[in-house]
Amino acid sequence: MPIFRMSFLFFEHNRKNISVFFIHIFFLLPLLSLTLSGCSNEKNEQQQMPPAPIHTYKTEAKDTPIILKAVGNVKAFTSVTIKSRVDGHIIRIHFLDGDTVEKGQVLYTIDPETYLFSQKGALANVASDHASAELARKDYIRYRELYEKDVISKDEYEQKLTAYETARKKMEADSAQADIAKRNVKFTKVTSPINGIAGSTLLDEGNLIEADKDQLVVIKTITPASVDFYIPGHEIDRVRSHYIDDELPVFATPSGTGGKRIEGVLTFVDNWINPDTGMIKLSAHFPNKDKNLWPGMFVSIDLVLATQENAIRIPAQAVMRGPTGKFVYVVSKENATMRPVTTGMRIDDDVVINKGLGPDEVIVTDGMLRLFENAPVQILKKNNTGNATKTNNPPTQSGDKS
């Protein structure tokens, strides 16, 4: 009885606190139930998340050229500006604008009449000098015999000797003038000094031209052709290290040939770096048999320094950046995992992987935004018609992009 009374008194004293406690439990139990239910649902949803659709690429080890890229300007291998070497009127043009001309081919005819007259006069002077020299020679021989017999004085003999020498030298001088006149007649036929393609004539028939001054036409040789291009000065050591030992190939890609590359060789490295631009000039020689390279054209240049053997080369879009650096997603057993990589040089739309990937690994090239570590994936492989078909297996052909 006393114990029961004591319990009753304790309950009466703490009834208010006990009521508050049960009220709290009454309200907290439903909230706790909802929280546990939500976590369970979230976990189930995560476990039931559908695979992310992706495109893949299977890596392979292959030899990859180490390339320096630049923009080049095509130049004629030889360019000659034609000028006349004599004055006169142009009486005939022997070619059409844009014609292919050969070395020695007549391009212009200058009025030769004045030079023909000069040549005739020079030849007449030579003939007269020859007769005078012959007469002086005979006198000299006769006076020499008389001098040897002490018939004449030494002064008389020396006068005849001097007259003969003067006549002979005069004949030689007039002969030289005759040769000059003959050469001027020859120069009235303006010829091409090289094989090439003629540009547009700068002066028409009937124009009076001045020797060694007026330009007539420009002849350019385009087979072979040369291309000038510039690379950063800090690359010169790499170029010279290979250029000294090897003949470096150069590939030019004109914009109008549908991507057809034309092969040539590096022939020139300049001896200074432009301090204003930090660039150095290089030149390459191209056979250009198909005449795809035209003077003045801008082309894309690939200078091949060496070849990196067994390099892993993948699409650059597959490489992503994270808090710890670059990485790619690698597909294994229908899941995608993150793999850190170290990239090398960029080649067009591809990049070389120096570290982190080996051959025959399947990487993700599209659909990475929906991925996370060990994310389930579904590979979409594009066929030749461009429609996507679903498959659960990675591509089996080496280097197949999908």
Side-chain angles (χ1 to χ4, degrees), residues 230-236 272-282:
Y230 295 83
I231 64 171
H234 63 80
E235 299 285 3
I236 185 60
W272 75 299
I273 297 173
N274 190 328
D276 295 329
T277 62
M279 308 291 280
I280 184 170
K281 178 182 177 182
L282 285 73

Side-chain angles (χ1 to χ4, degrees), residues 13 15 49 61 65 101-102 138 171 212 220 250 253 267 270 297 346 366 386:
H13 180 73
R15 181 174 56 181
M49 182 178 293
V101 298
E102 298 180 353
K138 291 179 180 180
M171 182 181 67
D212 298 325
K220 294 182 181 292
V250 180
T253 306
T267 57
D270 208 348
M297 177 186 293
R346 179 76 178 260
D366 193 13

